[in-house]
Amino acid sequence: MVNPYAINPAEPGASHEARQGSQLPMRLLFTALACCTASIVIRWVIMWLTLEPEYFQTYLNNLWQLGGYWLSALAVDGCSALLLARYYLQRHSLVDVSRPALLVALFVGLYLIAIFVVGLLYNLLWAQLAPSLYENASGLSPTLLMLPLNLVSFMLATLLPLWLSLYLMRRAGQFQSGLTQVSRGEAALAFGLLFIVFYTKLLTLLPTHMISPYGMEWLLGLSNVVGLVYGLVAMIAAYRSLPAQLARLAVGRLLASVLLCMAIWLLVAAVLAFVLLVALYAGSEFLVLGLMVLFGILLLAMLWPLTHLSLRWVYRPLAA
């Protein structure tokens, strides 16, 4: 009897030939970005059609803050799709899937179903928990208090559909096994996306009065835009630091590299923020403005050597 779940063997002699890695992770990345954008638009259309004008206006008044959540959601969904797909292919020694379009379509369908069901349950729980969270926050961000629920929602609405799509196509599709290569462009993109994820998540977890003092909500939006610039610089620096072809994408070491880079970078940022507070206490507005511009340029410039050092110390890339 033929095993219906068996993976088709590779062609003779192909197992020792290094091949270019599949473009499936990149396809799933852009698919996840498109699905996340569609879910945001659909949610706003539903609110526009169902909510009373005064309640809908409340959401419009908080666009700066909501924009940060949207950017974080896009970065998380895209980055997770890229890393999970590449890890899954490497974990099972697979080079490519025979029907990538079918897999992408399956992922889209499962994603939209999951985001609808999980979003409905999430909204019901949020309606029950939100009043008590805002009353007992004690200066903490409600997003920080909702972190466990947000993590479960992310796993069910994003990771589960993607893993299930890969798993079902692995059982039904035809694959080739053998050595694979991953371009430095994909690894650098993953590094930059991870940096943006950590940066935007940190902003959403901070108390509102810290990131938007004196009601300056636009400062939160500006901080998110700056985060995109930081992520772009980190991606370019990683691209210049990595060899042209990697034997594989070591997801764990890449994650540790980004964490080390972010930790050192935040330590420097904390020291500079203390200097800003001292200057602000001195009462010199022009000095504070000049220092903010100078420190912003300094933090941007420091990303280049920190990215290089973190990849060299932790990731230790080897050419394929």
Side-chain angles (χ1 to χ4, degrees):
M1 178 181 293
V2 179
N3 183 3
Y5 302 129
I7 299 175
N8 292 345
E11 298 177 359
S15 59
H16 300 289
E17 299 178 1
R19 307 179 221 184
Q20 295 295 327
S22 170
Q23 293 300 312
L24 180 63
M26 294 297 297
R27 292 184 182 182
L28 291 174
L29 181 149
F30 290 112
T31 303
L33 292 178
C35 289
C36 185
T37 303
S39 66
I40 293 173
V41 173
I42 292 173
R43 189 178 300 117
W44 270 85
V45 170
I46 293 175
M47 288 192 300
W48 177 54
L49 296 175
T50 59
L51 289 180
E52 296 293 333
E54 57 271 16
Y55 290 106
F56 185 70
Q57 185 63 38
T58 303
Y59 283 96
L60 295 179
N61 294 335
N62 294 311
L63 281 180
W64 288 114
Q65 185 175 4
L66 292 174
Y69 292 124
W70 296 338
L71 176 61
S72 179
L74 287 169
V76 168
D77 282 14
C79 187
S80 60
L82 174 65
L83 294 180
L84 181 58
R86 178 58 65 189
Y87 173 79
Y88 192 91
L89 293 177
Q90 294 178 164
R91 175 67 177 81
H92 297 281
S93 301
L94 306 174
V95 175
D96 206 350
V97 58
S98 59
R99 291 177 289 179
L102 180 59
L103 191 149
V104 171
L106 180 62
F107 170 57
V108 171
L110 293 176
Y111 181 96
L112 294 179
I113 294 174
I115 203 70
F116 174 79
V117 175
V118 175
L120 182 61
L121 296 176
Y122 183 92
N123 290 334
L124 292 176
L125 288 175
W126 174 251
Q128 299 294 326
L129 298 177
S132 59
L133 286 178
Y134 280 99
E135 291 177 1
N136 304 317
S138 301
L140 297 176
S141 171
T143 307
L144 179 60
L145 300 176
M146 290 291 292
L147 187 59
L149 183 59
N150 290 335
L151 181 59
V152 173
S153 174
F154 164 70
M155 294 176 63
L156 294 177
T158 301
L159 294 185
L160 182 59
L162 178 57
W163 175 85
L164 190 58
S165 302
L166 292 168
Y167 178 75
L168 292 176
M169 288 302 298
R170 174 176 177 265
R171 296 176 61 184
Q174 296 179 355
F175 296 81
Q176 294 175 319
S177 62
L179 301 176
T180 61
Q181 293 181 351
V182 178
S183 68
R184 63 177 176 180
E186 182 177 318
L189 178 60
F191 190 98
L193 284 175
L194 282 171
F195 192 93
I196 294 175
V197 167
F198 293 140
Y199 179 89
T200 54
K201 281 300 179 184
L202 180 62
L203 287 181
T204 58
L205 295 178
L206 290 176
T208 306
H209 66 272
M210 289 185 60
I211 194 61
S212 302
Y214 306 108
M216 295 187 295
E217 291 82 5
W218 58 269
L219 189 59
L220 178 58
L222 179 62
S223 300
N224 283 287
V225 173
V226 171
L228 291 177
V229 179
Y230 288 149
L232 178 61
V233 173
M235 182 186 70
I236 297 175
Y239 183 84
R240 297 297 300 271
S241 303
L242 295 170
Q245 295 291 333
L246 301 172
R248 65 194 306 272
L249 183 62
V251 177
R253 294 205 305 270
L254 184 67
L255 179 61
S257 300
V258 179
L259 287 175
L260 176 62
C261 178
M262 174 69 76
I264 301 176
W265 187 75
L266 288 177
L267 181 62
V268 176
V271 174
L272 297 180
F274 177 77
V275 176
L276 273 179
L277 288 176
V278 174
L280 183 62
Y281 181 77
S284 176
E285 296 181 2
F286 292 102
L287 177 61
V288 171
L289 182 60
L291 287 176
M292 287 181 64
V293 176
L294 178 61
F295 290 168
I297 297 175
L298 179 60
L299 288 175
L300 189 64
M302 285 195 63
L303 274 179
W304 195 281
L306 288 179
T307 298
H308 176 75
L309 291 176
S310 64
L311 288 172
R312 182 179 179 182
W313 292 344
V314 180
Y315 193 77
R316 300 188 299 275
L318 297 176

